[in-house]
C-alpha cells in the first residue's frame, strides 16, 4: 500500500518481488542487512523481513557493519559480507562504489588485507574477494594509492602475484589492483623497484587462445606502470621495446577475426607509454618500430572497429618521428624593422637580446610530452570537470573589478585631441544646410519608418548596379529638393539619391565594363603571364590604336604591350587598364578565354552579359584609385606588386557555401603519408621552389612545378618546398620583430594544370585548435574566373584537416615551454583552369589600401547636406602610414541655436577594428557598418541623428600591410597594450585611448564602445562584455555575488542583436572579466574610462551552427550584414534607453531586464604564444586523431577515433553548392 505523502511512503514486497528488486533494495538496506546478519542465511532472513519496514528510515541507522568486518574472526561471515559487497558494487556501478568509499570502505578493506596477509598461508578465497572489491572501489578513491602505500598493501599484492603465477583466479584480481596502485606515480616507482615490470613480461606473451583475459589485464597494468619514466627506462634497458613489437606483430597476424582487439590495443598502449621518454623513442626507431606499425596499420581495413589500433599506432609513430627544426635559417621574420625604442622587458626585448643562431634549437626533452599527449587524446570526465571547475584567471578582487575612472593624462595633455572633435565647436555658419528656417527643436523619432536593413539573403531591388542597398555612390552631389521646399522628407531624399545613383553608377563602372568586355576574349596561353601587377617605374611607351579605357592620368610612366590582332567584339585593341603605374596584365585580347560557351564568347551578348554582371560588382571598388593609394602605402619589404584580388575587387558569390563535412579517414591518410616520408625517404623530392630568405633562388621553369608569390600587400608566405610531384610544404612568415604567430596566409599560385589534385601543407601553424577540423575551408580567388565576370573569393579544398606535426618549436619560440610542436593545415585543391593565376587566403583579405579606397569613395559620394562625414588622421604608425579616424553623424537641421545644441549633445558611439591583422573578418564587418551609416536609408538617417560616431576602422595598419597575423611592427599584441601604451611603440593605441580619455574629460563618455574582432575557434558572431556580478558568480562565491548591485544594461545591446542579427548568438556571449584580459581594450575602456557598454564583438572565421545561416560558412555578405545590423541595434538601444522620446511597445522595454544565463565557461588563460583575446574555444577538437564517436568505453579509453561523418567525400565543386533563388 502506498500513501500520497512522500514521508508516509511504504513499500511491501513478497519473497519474489524482493528477489526481483534485489539490486534496487541493497544500497538502501545495506546497513541493516549487514548489521543484523552473521551468516548468509541470516542475511536472507533480513531481506525477507523488509516487508513492513520503511526503507528511508533505515538510512539513518548506524553503519557499524564496517567495524564488524574489521574485527570479525568469523571467516565465513567475512567471506559472505565481502561477497555481498562485490555483488553490490558490480550491479551498482560507480555510484555504489563511491558510496562505499565515502563510508571509509577502502581504508577498512586495506586493513582487512593486512590482517589476512598475516595468516600463513593466506586464505585464497579471502584474498580473491578483497582484491576483487578493491579493484572496483579503488578508482573512485582519489587517495587510494596513498592509503595502500601507507598500509603496506603494495608488496602484499605484488608478492601474491609472484607466488601464484599459475593460479589465474587469484592473479587476475591482484593485477587489477596493481593497475589501480600504479595510477599513483610514487607507487609505480616503488613497484618497479621490486620487479613488477619484469613480472608483467612473464605473464604476457605471444598469441594464445588461453587466458586472454589475464593477458588483457596484465597489459593494462604494464601500460600504467610504464607511464613512470623510471619504469620506462627500466623496460628500455632490458630490451622490452623489441619484445612488445614482436608480440604485437604475432597477435596482429593471428587475430584474423579481431576477437582480441583489447589485447592488441593493450600492447600499443604499453608502447605509447614507453615512448614518452627520449630513450624509448630511440629504442622504438632502432627496433624498426616505425615500419612495423606502419605496415600493420596499412593492413587494417578502413572500418571503425579497427580505429583504436590504427589511431594509437599513428599517434606512436608521430611521436617517435624524429623532431626537426623548420627548414629556415631563423624562425625570426624574414623582414626586420628597427624600432625607435627597444622595450626593457617582454618578448621583443628577449628577441633582441638573443645571440645569433640560438633562436630555434630543437629540444627533444621529455618535458611536457606526457601532458601534451594525454591532452591530445583523452578528455576528463565531464561530471568531475563540472564539479571541480575553477578558473584562476577570473578576477576575484572586487576593488579591481569596480570601474574606476582614471584620468591618466592631464587636461593640458588631452587638449592635443581638440582638433579631432570639431563637431563640438563648429557653428556651421558657412555650410549649405537643408533648412534655413528656424524651427522648434522637436525630435522626430515617432514619424520614422520601420527599421529595415537588407539581409544577406535579399537582392537589391530597383538598382541593379548597386549591390549595397541604400549606399550613395555619387562622385558629385547636386542640390536636393525644389527651391520652394527646402526640407524634403527622407523618403524623397532616398528617391532622388537613387536616381542620381543610377546615373553616376554607369559612369563609375564604365571602365570596368569595358575592361571585362575586352578581357572576355583572353587567350589561355597568355593568362599565365598575368602573374602580378607591378608598381615599378618603367619608361613609358605609347600604344598604336589605343583609344579606349582611359579615365585618369596619374602622371606616371606607362608600359604598353601591343597586339595587332583584330578582335571581333572590340572596335579598338589594347591592353592598358589604366594610365599611371605599370600594369603587366599580359595581352588583353587575342583568341578567347576559356568559357562555358565559345559561341557566346564571340558574340556581342557576351559583352552585355559581362556588363550586367559587372554592374552587380562592388560599388566602393575602384581599381584605378586602388593603385593610386597603393603608391603611398609604406611596407617594410617595399612591395612593388599588387595582388589581382585586391585590384579587381571581390563580390559575394551568388551561391551558398555549406560547412564542409570531412570524409571518414582523411586525417589518418594524411598522417600516414607524412610517416611515409621517413620510411621511404628516397621518394621525397625536397626541392625549394620559393624562398623569401634567399632572393637569389632559381625559379624553375619546368611545366609541372607550381609557381608561388607573396610579395604584395598583406601577403604571407615565406618558403615552399616540393615534397612529391603534386604536394608542397608551405612555411609562413613570423610577425615582424617576432618569432611566432603563424596563422594568416595570403599567397599566389600559378602554373597549374586542371584535373590534378594538388596538396598544400602549411606546416608551421601554432594554435592547438582550428575550425579547419570543423568544416572551414580556405579561400581561393581565380583570375580567369574574375576575367569571366566572377570576381569573388570562394571556399575550396577537400581532405582538410589540422593536426600536430613533427616539426618542433624551440623553448624560445614557445615562450619558455619545452617540447612544443607545430601544427599542419593540409588541404587538396583541383584547379579548374590551365595556367591560371590563383590566390589562397586564410580568410577574405582586406588590405589597408582597400580601406583607404573605401573611405575615399564614401567621402566623395556622400551628401554633405545630409551627412556629416569627416576623415582625419589619428596618428602616424611606426612605418609612416596614417591611421584614419572617421566621424559620422547627421548634419544639423539648420545653423540656429536649437539645432546646433541638438547636434552637439548627441551621445558618442566609439568603434574600432582590426587590431589583429589576421582577423580580416573584422574589417568586413566594419565595412558593413560604414556603408550603412553612409547610406540614404531612413533608418540610417535616424541613427545619424541619434549619435555621433567616432570610428578607428584599422588600429594596426602596419600589421595589416606587412602580412602579420597578430602583432604590429613592435612585435607586440596591440590589444594587450591599452593599460600603458607607449606613444613611440604603440601610437595608434596611445592616441585611440587619448580620444576616449578626452571624451571622459569633457564629460562626453561614449554610450557604447565596441572593438570588432575575429574568432578562429568558435562559430557564429557574439560579444564579450564586462560585468562585476557575473565575474564574481563564476568564482562560485554566491554570497559575494548576491551583495553586488549592478546595472544590467550591458546585456541590452547583445540581447537586441540576438533578435535582429541572424548570425549573432547570445548563448556564446560572456561578460566575465579575466586577469589575463585586464590590458585589452574592452576591459580598460570599461574600467578606466568608465564606459559600461564596452564590448568586443567576435565574428567567426568559419560559419554558423544556429539560426538562419546554420550549416553555412560565413561570407562577406553575412559579415557586412552583421555590421549593418549592429547599427540597427544601436538605434533600438537608443529607443530603449530613451523611451519617452519614442512611441514604442512597452514589451520592448523588457530587453534590459530579461537576463539570459550565459552558458559560456571561462577556461584557464592561454599560453604566451597562443595568447587569445577571449575565453578559449570549448568545443572539443581532436586534432591528433579523429575521435568524436561514443563507442565502447573499454575500447574508447585513451584511443583516437574517426569523426562520425558521411562516408562519401564532399568536394568543393559547383555541384556541392546550393544556389540562392
Amino acid at each position: 500500500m502506498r500513501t500520497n505523502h512522500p514521508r508516509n511512503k511504504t513499500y511491501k514486497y513478497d519473497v519474489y518481488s524482493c528477489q526481483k528488486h534485489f539490486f534496487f533494495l541493497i544500497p538502501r538496506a545495506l546497513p541493516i542487512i549487514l548489521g543484523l546478519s552473521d551468516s548468509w542465511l541470516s542475511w536472507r532472513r533480513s531481506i525477507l523481513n523488509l516487508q513492513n519496514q520503511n526503507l528511508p528510515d533505515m538510512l539513518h541507522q548506524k553503519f557499524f557493519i564496517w567495524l564488524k568486518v574489521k574485527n570479525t574472526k568469523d571467516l565465513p561471515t567475512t567471506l559472505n559480507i565481502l561477497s555481498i559487497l562485490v555483488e553490490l558494487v558490480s550491479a551498482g556501478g560507480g555510484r555504489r562504489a563511491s558510496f562505499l568509499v565515502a563510508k571509509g570502505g577502502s581504508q577498512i578493506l586495506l586493513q582487512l588485507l593486512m590482517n589476512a596477509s598475516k595468516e600463513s598461508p593466506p586464505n585464497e578465497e579471502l584474498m580473491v574477494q578483497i582484491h576483487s572489491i578493491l579493484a572496483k572501489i579503488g578508482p573512485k578513491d582519489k587517495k587510494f594509492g596513498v592509503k595502500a602505500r601507507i598500509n603496506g598493501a603494495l608488496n602484499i599484492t605484488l608478492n601474491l602475484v609472484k607466488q601464484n603465477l599459475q593460479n589465474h583466479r587469484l592473479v587476475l584480481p591482484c593485477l587489477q589492483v596493481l593497475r589501480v596502485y600504479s595510477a599513483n606515480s610514487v607507487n609505480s616507482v616503488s613497484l618497479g623497484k621490486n620487479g613488477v615490470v619484469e613480472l608483467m613480461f612473464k605473464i604476457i606473451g605471444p598469441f594464445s587462445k588461453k587466458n586472454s583475459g589475464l593477458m588483457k589485464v596484465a597489459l593494462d597494468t604494464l601500460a600504467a606502470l610504464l607511464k613512470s619514466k623510471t619504469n620506462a627506462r627500466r623496460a628500455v634497458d632490458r630490451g622490452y621495446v623489441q619484445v612488445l613489437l614482436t608480440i604485437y606483430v604475432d597477435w596482429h597476424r593471428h587475430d584474423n577475426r579481431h576477437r582480441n582487439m583489447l589485447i592488441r590495443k593493450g600492447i600499443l598502449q604499453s608502447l605509447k607509454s614507453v615512448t614518452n621518454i627520449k630513450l624509448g623513442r630511440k629504442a622504438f626507431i632502432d627496433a624498426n618500430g616505425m615500419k612495423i606499425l606502419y605496415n600493420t596499420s596499412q593492413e587494417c581495413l578502413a572500418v571503425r572497429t579497427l580505429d583504436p589500433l590504427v589511431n594509437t599506432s599513428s599517434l606512436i609513430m608521430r611521436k617517435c618521428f624524429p623532431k626537426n627544426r623548420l627548414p629556415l635559417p631563423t624562425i625570426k621574420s624574414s623582414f626586420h624593422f628597427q624600432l625607435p625604442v627597444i622595450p626593457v622587458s617582454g618578448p621583443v626585448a628577449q628577441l633582441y637580446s638573443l645571440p645569433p643562431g640560438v633562436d630555434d634549437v630543437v629540444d627533444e626533452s621529455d618535458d611536457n610530452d606526457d601532458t601534451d599527449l594525454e591532452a591530445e587524446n583523452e578528455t576528463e570526465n565531464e561530471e568531475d570537470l563540472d564539479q571541480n571547475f575553477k578558473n584562476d584567471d577570473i578576477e576575484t578582487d572586487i576593488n579591481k573589478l569596480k570601474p574606476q575612472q582614471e584620468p591618466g593624462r592631464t587636461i593640458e595633455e588631452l587638449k592635443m585631441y581638440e582638433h579631432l572633435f570639431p563637431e563640438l565647436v563648429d557653428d556651421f555658419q558657412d555650410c549649405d544646410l537643408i533648412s534655413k528656417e528656424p524651427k522648434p527643436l522637436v525630435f522626430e523619432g515617432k514619424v520614422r519608418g520601420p527599421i529595415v536593413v537588407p539581409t544577406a539573403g535579399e537582392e537589391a531591388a530597383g538598382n541593379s548596379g548597386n549591390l549595397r542597398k541604400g549606399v550613395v555612390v555619387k562622385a558629385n552631389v547636386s542640390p536636393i529638393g525644389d527651391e520652394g521646399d527646402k526640407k524634403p522628407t527622407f523618403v524623397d531624399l532616398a528617391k532622388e539619391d537613387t536616381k542620381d545613383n543610377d546615373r553616376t553608377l554607369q559612369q563609375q563602372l564604365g571602365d570596368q565594363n569595358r575592361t571585362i568586355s575586352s578581357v572576355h576574349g583572353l587567350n589561355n596561353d597568355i593568362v599565365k603571364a598575368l602573374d602580378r601587377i607591378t608598381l615599378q617605374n618603367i619608361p613609358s611607351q605609347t600604344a598604336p590604336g589605343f583609344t579606349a579605357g582611359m579615365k585618369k592620368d596619374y602622371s606616371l610612366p606607362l608600359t604598353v604591350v601591343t597586339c595587332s590582332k583584330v578582335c571581333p567584339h572590340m572596335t579598338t585593341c589594347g591592353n592598358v587598364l589604366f594610365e599611371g603605374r605599370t600594369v603587366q596584365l599580359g595581352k588583353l585580347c587575342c583568341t578567347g578565354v576559356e568559357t562555358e560557351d565559345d559561341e557566346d564568347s564571340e558574340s556581342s551578348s557576351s559583352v552585355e552579359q559581362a556588363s550586367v554582371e559587372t554592374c552587380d560588382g562592388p560599388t566602393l571598388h575602384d581599381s584605378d584609385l586602388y593603385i593610386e593609394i597603393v603608391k603611398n602605402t609604406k611596407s617594410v619589404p617595399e612591395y612593388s606588386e599588387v595582388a589581382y584580388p585586391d585590384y579587381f575587387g571581390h563580390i559575394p558569390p551568388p551561391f551558398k557555401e555549406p560547412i564542409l563535412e570531412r570524409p571518414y579517414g582523411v586525417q589518418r591518410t594524411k598522417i600516414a603519408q607524412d610517416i611515409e616520408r621517413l620510411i621511404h625517404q628516397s621518394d621525397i623530392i625536397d626541392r625549394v621552389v620559393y624562398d623569401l630568405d634567399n632572393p637569389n633562388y632559381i625559379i624553375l621553369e619546368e611545366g609541372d612545378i607550381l609557381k608561388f608569390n607573396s610579395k604584395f600587400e598583406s601577403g604571407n608566405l615565406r618558403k615552399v618546398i616540393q615534397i612529391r610531384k603534386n604536394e608542397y610544404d608551405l612555411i609562413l612568415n613570423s610577425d615582424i620583430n617576432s618569432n611566432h604567430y603563424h596563422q594568416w596566409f595570403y599567397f599566389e599560385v600559378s602554373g597549374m594544370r586542371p584535373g590534378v589534385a594538388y596538396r598544400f601543407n602549411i606546416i608551421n601553424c601554432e594554435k592547438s585548435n582550428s575550425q579547419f577540423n570543423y568544416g572551414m575551408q580556405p579561400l581561393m580567388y581565380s583570375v580567369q574566373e574574375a576575367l569571366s565576370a566572377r570576381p569573388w573569393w570562394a571556399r575550396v579544398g577537400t581532405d582538410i584537416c589540422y593536426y600536430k606535426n613533427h616539426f618542433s618549436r624551440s623553448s624560445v619560440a614557445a615562450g619558455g615551454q619545452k617540447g612544443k610542436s607545430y601544427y599542419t593545415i593540409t588541404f587538396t585543391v583541383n584547379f579548374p583552369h590551365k595556367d591560371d593565376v590563383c590566390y589562397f587566403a586564410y580568410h577574405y583579405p582586406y588590405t589597408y589600401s582597400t580601406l583607404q579606397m573605401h573611405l575615399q569613395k564614401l567621402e566623395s559620394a556622400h551628401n554633405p547636406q545630409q551627412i556629416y562625414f569627416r576623415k582625419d588622421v589619428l596618428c602616424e604608425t611606426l612605418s609612416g602610414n596614417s591611421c584614419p579616424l572617421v566621424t559620422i553623424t547627421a548634419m544639423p537641421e539648420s545653423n540656429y541655436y536649437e539645432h546646433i545644441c541638438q547636434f552637439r549633445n548627441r551621445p558618442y558611439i566609439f568603434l574600432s577594428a582590426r587590431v589583429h591583422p589576421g582577423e580580416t573578418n573584422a574589417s568586413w564587418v566594419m565595412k558593413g557598418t560604414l556603408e550603412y551609416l553612409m547610406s540614404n536609408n531612413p533608418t540610417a538617417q535616424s541613427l545619424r541623428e541619434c549619435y555621433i560616431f567616432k570610428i578607428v576602422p584599422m588600429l594596426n595598419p602596419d600589421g595589416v600591410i606587412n602580412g602579420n597575423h597578430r602583432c604590429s611592427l613592435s612585435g607586440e599584441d596591440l590589444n594587450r597594450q591599452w593599460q600603458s601604451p607607449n606613444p613611440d611603440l604603440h601610437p595608434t593605441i596611445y592616441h585611440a585611448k587619448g580620444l576616449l580619455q578626452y571624451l571622459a574629460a569633457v564629460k562626453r563618455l561614449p554610450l557604447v564602445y565596441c572593438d570588432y574582432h575575429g574568432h578562429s575557434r568558435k562559430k557564429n558572431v557574439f560579444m564579450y562584455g564586462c560585468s562585476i556580478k557575473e565575474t564574481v558568480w563564476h568564482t562560485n562565491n554566491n554570497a559575494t555575488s548576491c551583495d553586488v548591485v549592478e546595472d544590467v544594461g550591458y546585456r541590452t545591446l547583445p540581447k537586441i542583436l540576438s533578435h535582429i542579427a541572424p548570425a549573432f548568438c547570445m548563448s556564446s556571449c560572456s561578460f566575465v572579466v579575466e586577469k589575463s584580459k585586464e590590458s585589452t581594450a574592452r576591459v580598460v575602456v570599461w574600467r578606466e574610462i568608465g564606459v559600461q557598454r564596452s564590448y568586443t564583438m567576435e565574428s567567426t572565421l568559419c560559419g554558423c551552427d544556429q539560426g538562419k545561416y546554420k550549416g553555412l560558412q560565413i561570407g562577406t555578405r553575412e559579415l557586412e550584414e552583421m555590421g549593418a545590423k549592429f547599427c540597427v541595434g544601436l538605434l533600438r538601444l537608443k529607443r530603449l534607453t530613451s523611451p519617452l522620446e519614442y512611441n514604442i511597445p512597452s514589451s520592448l522595454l523588457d530587453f534590459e531586464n530579461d537576463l539570459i544565463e550565459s552558458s559560456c565557461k571561462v577556461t584557464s588563460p592561454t599560453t604566451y604564444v597562443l595568447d587569445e583575446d577571449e575565453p578559449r574555444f570549448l568545443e572539443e577538437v581532436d586534432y591528433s586523431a579523429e575521435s568524436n564517436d561514443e563507442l565502447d568505453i573499454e575500447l574508447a579509453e585513451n584511443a583516437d577515433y574517426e569523426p562520425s561523418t558521411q562516408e562519401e567525400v564532399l568536394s568543393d565543386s559547383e555541384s556541392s553548392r546550393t544556389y540562392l533563388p
Side-chain angles (χ1 to χ4, degrees), residues 596-737:
E596 297 180 1
D597 192 336
D598 293 337
E599 295 180 1
D600 290 342
S601 66
E602 296 176 1
S603 65
S604 61
S605 63
S606 65
V607 181
E608 295 174 0
Q609 180 67 19
S611 175
V612 171
E613 293 190 22
T614 305
C615 289
D616 288 336
T619 58
L620 292 184
H621 190 82
D622 186 328
S623 300
D624 298 352
L625 178 59
Y626 185 83
I627 296 298
E628 179 68 11
I629 291 172
V630 169
K631 292 189 306 178
N632 301 316
T633 299
K634 300 174 184 177
S635 61
V636 174
E638 298 182 353
Y639 291 130
S640 59
E641 302 172 9
V642 175
Y644 267 90
D646 303 325
Y647 173 75
F648 282 133
H650 159 80
I651 63 173
F655 46 79
K656 298 179 181 178
E657 295 177 296
I659 292 175
L660 187 70
E661 293 190 36
R662 190 169 68 185
Y664 168 74
V666 59
Q667 186 158 290
R668 184 173 74 186
T669 302
K670 298 294 184 182
I671 293 173
Q673 292 173 359
D674 286 351
I675 294 171
E676 288 176 3
R677 298 189 188 187
L678 182 66
I679 299 175
H680 307 294
Q681 297 185 16
S682 59
D683 297 340
I684 303 304
I685 299 176
D686 198 26
R687 175 192 297 156
V688 176
V689 297
Y690 181 73
D691 192 354
L692 279 184
D693 296 297
N694 181 17
N696 299 320
Y697 77 95
I698 301 175
I699 301 178
L700 301 173
E701 297 297 333
E702 298 181 26
D704 58 348
I705 299 179
L706 295 179
K707 313 297 187 302
F708 294 84
N709 180 44
S710 63
K711 299 174 183 177
F712 45 79
E713 185 176 348
S714 294
N716 190 317
L717 181 64
R718 181 170 185 171
K719 190 172 185 177
V720 181
I721 303 172
Q722 186 180 18
I723 300 302
R724 299 180 178 92
K725 182 177 181 181
N726 299 316
E727 180 179 353
Y728 297 84
D729 277 358
L730 282 63
I731 302 175
L732 305 180
N733 197 18
S734 304
D735 286 3
I736 294 177
N737 276 320

Side-chain angles (χ1 to χ4, degrees), residues 701-943:
E701 297 297 333
E702 298 181 26
D704 58 348
I705 299 179
L706 295 179
K707 313 297 187 302
F708 294 84
N709 180 44
S710 63
K711 299 174 183 177
F712 45 79
E713 185 176 348
S714 294
N716 190 317
L717 181 64
R718 181 170 185 171
K719 190 172 185 177
V720 181
I721 303 172
Q722 186 180 18
I723 300 302
R724 299 180 178 92
K725 182 177 181 181
N726 299 316
E727 180 179 353
Y728 297 84
D729 277 358
L730 282 63
I731 302 175
L732 305 180
N733 197 18
S734 304
D735 286 3
I736 294 177
N737 276 320
S738 170
N739 56 15
H740 48 274
Y741 298 122
H742 311 92
Q743 204 78 17
W744 166 258
F745 58 86
Y746 182 19
F747 57 88
E748 171 194 298
V749 180
S750 59
M752 66 284 294
R753 292 177 295 144
V756 176
Y758 291 93
R759 177 181 173 183
F760 300 97
N761 311 309
I762 301 175
I763 62 174
N764 64 329
C765 299
E766 293 179 356
K767 291 192 175 183
S768 60
N769 237 344
S770 174
Q771 281 290 326
F772 281 112
N773 272 341
Y774 283 88
M776 187 170 82
Q777 296 174 278
L779 287 147
M780 188 182 82
Y781 190 104
S782 166
V783 172
Q784 282 209 21
E785 289 291 304
L787 295 177
S788 300
R790 292 184 289 274
W792 52 65
W793 287 94
R795 303 273 188 173
V796 298
T798 57
D799 297 345
I800 302 171
C801 49
Y802 187 95
Y803 57 88
K804 185 182 292 185
N805 60 35
H806 62 277
F807 291 103
S808 176
R809 277 185 284 167
S810 69
S811 60
V812 174
Q817 301 180 65
K818 297 181 180 180
K820 292 294 182 180
S821 297
Y822 286 104
Y823 295 81
T824 293
I825 299 172
T826 180
F827 56 93
T828 301
V829 175
N830 285 274
F831 295 98
H833 304 290
K834 180 181 180 182
D835 293 330
D836 196 359
V837 178
C838 294
Y839 293 79
F840 289 95
Y842 181 63
H843 199 67
Y844 300 93
Y846 192 100
T847 65
Y848 169 78
S849 299
T850 299
L851 171 66
Q852 294 285 32
M853 175 188 66
H854 286 167
L855 292 179
Q856 286 196 31
K857 296 289 287 184
L858 288 172
E859 184 175 19
S860 64
H862 85 283
N863 180 354
Q865 289 185 319
Q866 188 176 1
I867 302 175
Y868 180 96
F869 179 92
R870 181 182 175 91
K871 184 166 76 77
D872 296 291
V873 175
L874 175 64
C875 63
E876 280 198 350
T877 64
L878 291 178
S879 62
N881 294 292
S882 63
C883 179
L885 171 67
V886 177
T887 306
I888 300 175
T889 187
M891 291 291 288
E893 194 168 338
S894 73
N895 54 17
Y896 283 86
Y897 176 78
E898 293 86 352
H899 295 150
I900 298 299
C901 285
Q902 191 275 341
F903 175 87
R904 293 178 181 176
N905 288 325
R906 294 169 188 168
Y908 276 91
I909 302 291
F910 201 106
L911 305 177
S912 60
R914 206 66 184 282
V915 69
H916 294 143
E919 297 169 5
T920 58
N921 46 358
S923 283
W924 288 101
V925 176
M926 180 58 75
K927 179 175 182 286
T929 295
L930 289 169
E931 287 191 29
Y932 186 81
L933 289 176
M934 297 295 291
S935 71
N936 284 331
N937 190 304
T939 307
Q941 177 63 19
S942 297
L943 185 64

Side-chain angles (χ1 to χ4, degrees), residues 812-1104:
V812 174
Q817 301 180 65
K818 297 181 180 180
K820 292 294 182 180
S821 297
Y822 286 104
Y823 295 81
T824 293
I825 299 172
T826 180
F827 56 93
T828 301
V829 175
N830 285 274
F831 295 98
H833 304 290
K834 180 181 180 182
D835 293 330
D836 196 359
V837 178
C838 294
Y839 293 79
F840 289 95
Y842 181 63
H843 199 67
Y844 300 93
Y846 192 100
T847 65
Y848 169 78
S849 299
T850 299
L851 171 66
Q852 294 285 32
M853 175 188 66
H854 286 167
L855 292 179
Q856 286 196 31
K857 296 289 287 184
L858 288 172
E859 184 175 19
S860 64
H862 85 283
N863 180 354
Q865 289 185 319
Q866 188 176 1
I867 302 175
Y868 180 96
F869 179 92
R870 181 182 175 91
K871 184 166 76 77
D872 296 291
V873 175
L874 175 64
C875 63
E876 280 198 350
T877 64
L878 291 178
S879 62
N881 294 292
S882 63
C883 179
L885 171 67
V886 177
T887 306
I888 300 175
T889 187
M891 291 291 288
E893 194 168 338
S894 73
N895 54 17
Y896 283 86
Y897 176 78
E898 293 86 352
H899 295 150
I900 298 299
C901 285
Q902 191 275 341
F903 175 87
R904 293 178 181 176
N905 288 325
R906 294 169 188 168
Y908 276 91
I909 302 291
F910 201 106
L911 305 177
S912 60
R914 206 66 184 282
V915 69
H916 294 143
E919 297 169 5
T920 58
N921 46 358
S923 283
W924 288 101
V925 176
M926 180 58 75
K927 179 175 182 286
T929 295
L930 289 169
E931 287 191 29
Y932 186 81
L933 289 176
M934 297 295 291
S935 71
N936 284 331
N937 190 304
T939 307
Q941 177 63 19
S942 297
L943 185 64
R944 291 191 294 267
E945 292 174 354
C946 291
Y947 300 114
I948 300 175
F949 289 85
K950 282 289 182 183
I951 302 174
V952 185
M954 191 170 285
L955 280 168
N956 191 352
D958 288 345
V960 172
I961 294 169
N962 293 285
N964 285 4
H965 175 66
R966 194 169 186 86
C967 300
S968 68
L969 292 186
S970 68
E972 298 169 294
D973 182 349
L974 291 184
N975 203 35
R976 294 297 185 277
Q977 312 303 324
W978 278 80
Q979 267 189 330
S980 302
N982 186 308
D984 297 318
L985 295 176
H986 325 116
T988 59
I989 305 301
Y990 180 83
H991 293 294
K993 185 178 181 181
L995 293 179
L996 289 160
Q997 289 173 325
Y998 177 83
L999 287 174
V1002 298
K1003 309 302 180 184
R1004 297 297 302 274
L1005 272 181
L1007 178 68
V1008 172
Y1009 171 77
C1010 189
D1011 192 20
Y1012 293 0
H1013 282 256
H1015 206 290
S1016 65
R1017 307 193 201 183
K1018 208 168 183 179
K1019 293 182 172 68
N1020 309 310
V1021 182
F1022 50 94
M1023 275 181 162
Y1024 293 110
C1026 301
S1027 165
I1028 303 175
K1029 194 175 184 70
E1030 294 197 34
T1031 302
V1032 175
W1033 180 77
H1034 271 278
T1035 63
N1036 296 324
N1037 191 342
N1038 295 327
T1040 307
S1041 178
C1042 295
D1043 295 337
V1044 175
V1045 178
E1046 184 179 35
D1047 181 4
V1048 296
Y1050 62 88
R1051 277 183 170 268
T1052 310
L1053 182 57
K1055 182 67 183 294
I1056 292 172
L1057 292 176
S1058 70
H1059 282 263
I1060 66 175
F1064 195 87
C1065 180
M1066 184 68 188
S1067 63
S1068 296
C1069 296
S1070 174
F1071 304 93
V1072 176
V1073 179
E1074 294 180 282
K1075 297 175 185 176
S1076 60
K1077 307 302 185 297
E1078 62 182 3
S1079 58
T1080 61
R1082 167 177 61 97
V1083 178
V1084 170
V1085 173
W1086 171 71
R1087 179 181 292 165
E1088 295 184 18
I1089 309 298
V1091 179
Q1092 182 199 27
R1093 295 180 175 91
S1094 179
Y1095 305 104
T1096 295
M1097 187 164 74
E1098 299 274 359
S1099 301
T1100 178
L1101 291 166
C1102 178
C1104 298

